[in-house]
Amino acid sequence: MSATTQLNIGLFGFGVVGKGLYDVLQNTPALQASIHKICIKSLDKKRSIAAENFTNIPGEILNNQHINVIVELIDDADAAFDIVKAALQNGKAVVSANKKMIAEHFEELLALQQEFQTPFLYEASCCASMPIIRNLEEYYDNDLLFSFRGIINGSTNFILTKIFQEQLEFEKALLMAQQLGFAESNPQLDIGGFDAANKLSILLAHSFGIIAKPAEFIFTGIKNISLQDALVAKGKKYKIKLVANAQKLADGKLAAFVLPQFVTKHDELYHVENEFNAITTESSFADKHFFKGKGAGAFPTASAVLSDISALRYNYKYEYKKILIQQASVLSNDFYLKVFVSANEIAAINKDDFEWIEEWHNEYHYCWLVGIIHVKKLAEHDWWKLPGVSLIAYPDAVVENIDYKNISKRSLELAGIV
Ligand SMILES: NC(=O)c1ccc[n+]([C@@H]2O[C@H](COP(=O)([O-])OP(=O)(O)OC[C@H]3O[C@@H](n4cnc5c(N)ncnc54)[C@H](OP(=O)(O)O)[C@@H]3O)[C@@H](O)[C@H]2O)c1
């Protein structure tokens, strides 16, 4: 493609983001990009533009020689993979925002790009408007990047903000997020942590060269966080955020997880509210960087899609440097986490999984503890994900070595060990 090639777009999906992209393109004529045809699921739905723009037959777009760019913005990951695969095989450049599809098929998508030499860009898939993939891919050298951590799901951050600021009930906050177009069509993807885990999976590839499906690291969402947890957090002067973490351990391997986490007011993430996303990176020489931007919604997401479409003009492709050229890191699950766990009943918390317990409170229908647990125990057991139990990582949660000499007798007593 040259700087003057007309971009003829075949668009899949005309929901929150697809319609957002359509509107944004109407206001950026200088880009010389226009939507040729739109494929949607149901032809019967009332649309804001003329019916002749639409089809429900993918082949009408995928086999159209005039269309040179496919923009995939649908909410069905399986159908999306078929569309993207066919498009890449047909030599068409592809832009997508579908993190679930990308995380599930990362290796196949990488192979397709290599085989057919077609660009596949997906900046909007991770933090919507916030350009993080290209930064991780291009700016940081694998050896220099030490960690990144951040809020990478806009709707859960919106829900947590409403619970903290307005003491809104969880269900009401979720409904608001859905009405504003921040939530996935299936909200379980957001509140169950799957969406953030899919994004972490993509970010790990571009930052540390690790291709890992969400099942390979621990993650959970916010659906078990209660108002009582929020009150305990407030009492400790913390907020609760759903945070994705990736951090190099002393042996060079990588600890990665997505968990609700207590954040202090000295943490940049503390001040990130509503649908905003943010990521802090730490690297050897640059030290800390902080990125913040809108992580959901029609126009913010469409803006990242637009940026990818525009990047096609100068033949931009991800080089996958960390995977293909440099020495990739490997994931480790040999580390400990300091966590807060609450439950309706003590019996719901598996005390035996803890190395030690520092604090223990037992009230009527609400008990909680703070302790150190090996991440393997969390990977092997799921009591901490069951309804009625919430697990929240402490600030600086990763503990590499534990020193049993530091365990107080009191904590052993509380834990019922002596
Ligand atoms: N919303 C956000 O803030 C946001 C942010 C970042 C990334 N994303 C991602 O962007 C994508 C789209 O999200 P959205 O919020 O725009 O979803 P949405 O509002 O639910 O819209 C989904 C669209 O996909 C169409 N569709 C579904 N299955 C299809 C199929 N098999 N073939 C053709 N069209 C199909 C639907 O058609 P009908 O109109 O006929 O139902 C609808 O137009 C998802 O991958 C999502 O994860 C969304």
Side-chain angles (χ1 to χ4, degrees):
M1 247 174 237
S2 79
T4 52
T5 310
Q6 169 71 30
L7 302 179
N8 296 317
I9 298 171
L11 173 63
F12 284 83
F14 199 67
V16 173
V17 187
K19 166 83 168 55
L21 178 70
Y22 182 89
D23 293 342
V24 165
L25 275 172
Q26 303 306 304
N27 293 304
T28 42
L31 189 61
Q32 287 183 288
S34 57
I35 295 175
H36 194 73
K37 199 85 188 171
I38 304 167
C39 181
I40 34 71
K41 194 158 66 176
S42 159
L43 281 177
D44 302 332
K45 262 191 196 168
K46 199 171 164 355
R47 311 280 173 182
S48 55
I49 57 171
E52 65 253 28
N53 289 294
F54 297 97
T55 176
N56 61 356
I57 304 165
E60 271 189 32
I61 289 180
L62 293 168
N63 303 323
N64 185 327
Q65 298 301 317
H66 184 63
I67 289 174
N68 50 8
V69 177
I70 299 296
V71 178
E72 180 283 301
L73 299 172
I74 73 172
D75 59 341
D76 174 337
D78 295 334
F81 179 65
D82 293 341
I83 291 163
V84 170
K85 186 176 173 181
L88 292 172
Q89 286 170 334
N90 283 1
K92 297 186 194 298
V94 181
V95 174
S96 169
N98 204 317
K99 46 267 173 153
K100 186 168 186 289
M101 181 270 292
I102 298 164
E104 278 171 4
H105 298 282
F106 199 92
E107 265 183 308
E108 293 149 281
L109 290 165
L110 179 57
L112 282 165
Q113 289 168 79
Q114 289 177 310
E115 186 181 350
F116 295 96
Q117 290 296 307
T118 32
F120 175 47
L121 304 180
Y122 41 85
E123 186 62 69
S125 68
C126 280
C127 294
S129 76
M130 193 176 90
I132 192 67
I133 296 179
R134 265 191 257 174
N135 269 303
L136 290 172
E137 173 73 29
E138 302 298 337
Y139 187 82
Y140 298 98
D141 187 87
N142 186 34
D143 296 336
L144 301 181
L145 189 66
F146 168 68
S147 72
F148 70 81
R149 57 186 287 275
I151 296 167
I152 58 176
N153 179 275
S155 51
T156 48
N157 201 47
F158 180 87
I159 293 167
L160 289 171
T161 303
K162 294 294 159 199
I163 291 176
F164 263 80
Q165 284 182 355
E166 297 168 28
Q167 278 81 51
L168 225 63
E169 290 292 337
F170 187 95
E171 293 303 328
K172 277 193 185 146
L174 170 61
L175 188 65
M176 270 179 89
Q178 287 175 303
Q179 284 166 343
L180 290 164
F182 301 151
E184 291 295 312
S185 321
N186 172 6
Q188 290 305 322
L189 289 175
D190 292 314
I191 62 175
F194 302 97
D195 182 76
N198 286 331
K199 291 167 174 173
L200 177 59
S201 162
I202 298 169
L203 294 175
L204 286 175
H206 289 278
S207 53
F208 292 106
I210 294 174
I211 302 178
K213 294 205 166 112
E216 294 170 56
F217 49 82
I218 61 155
F219 69 91
T220 190
I222 62 162
K223 64 180 175 190
N224 293 352
I225 302 285
S226 65
L227 224 42
Q228 281 155 305
D229 296 331
L231 290 173
V232 174
K234 270 190 177 172
K236 291 175 178 285
K237 299 196 169 27
Y238 295 143
K239 282 182 187 169
I240 302 170
K241 300 286 183 189
L242 183 64
V243 182
N245 287 271
Q247 121 177 24
K248 276 203 172 163
L249 300 169
D251 63 3
K253 292 183 180 170
L254 199 84
F257 54 93
V258 178
L259 292 174
Q261 187 162 24
F262 286 145
V263 291
T264 71
K265 62 173 186 268
H266 306 294
D267 186 333
E268 285 88 349
L269 300 184
Y270 185 93
H271 309 283
V272 178
E273 304 286 30
N274 294 313
E275 77 274 28
F276 276 87
N277 281 187
I279 284 186
T280 53
T281 60
E282 279 188 85
S283 51
S284 311
F285 303 124
D287 203 347
K288 248 185 179 182
H289 286 150
F290 178 57
F291 301 84
K292 182 181 169 190
K294 283 198 171 167
F299 290 154
T301 312
S303 79
V305 175
L306 190 73
S307 176
D308 279 350
I309 294 171
S310 161
L312 293 173
R313 283 220 166 281
Y314 49 91
N315 292 315
Y316 179 75
K317 287 179 186 171
Y318 301 131
E319 284 179 77
Y320 299 99
K321 288 195 276 282
K322 319 289 167 61
I323 298 171
L324 301 174
I325 302 169
Q326 298 170 5
Q327 176 82 43
S329 298
V330 287
L331 281 186
S332 167
N333 65 354
D334 191 12
F335 60 96
Y336 302 87
L337 286 174
K338 181 171 178 178
V339 296
F340 163 98
V341 183
S342 75
N344 301 333
E345 296 173 82
I346 297 180
I349 302 175
N350 190 351
K351 271 191 324 191
D352 293 342
D353 274 356
F354 284 82
E355 299 300 316
W356 82 69
I357 292 168
E358 290 182 6
E359 258 183 279
W360 178 280
H361 293 258
N362 197 359
E363 295 155 26
Y364 182 64
H365 280 318
Y366 184 69
C367 62
W368 58 267
L369 63 81
V370 177
I372 303 283
I373 193 164
H374 199 284
V375 87
K376 272 186 194 148
K377 296 276 168 64
L378 295 174
E380 283 162 8
H381 302 152
D382 68 354
W383 57 264
W384 57 281
K385 289 185 178 181
L386 297 178
V389 181
S390 53
L391 180 140
I392 302 170
Y394 247 66
D396 298 319
V398 174
V399 180
E400 289 208 49
N401 294 303
I402 53 172
D403 183 353
Y404 285 94
K405 290 197 293 289
N406 289 339
I407 309 173
S408 71
K409 181 149 188 313
R410 178 77 184 127
S411 69
L412 291 172
E413 279 168 12
L414 288 169
I417 295 168
V418 293

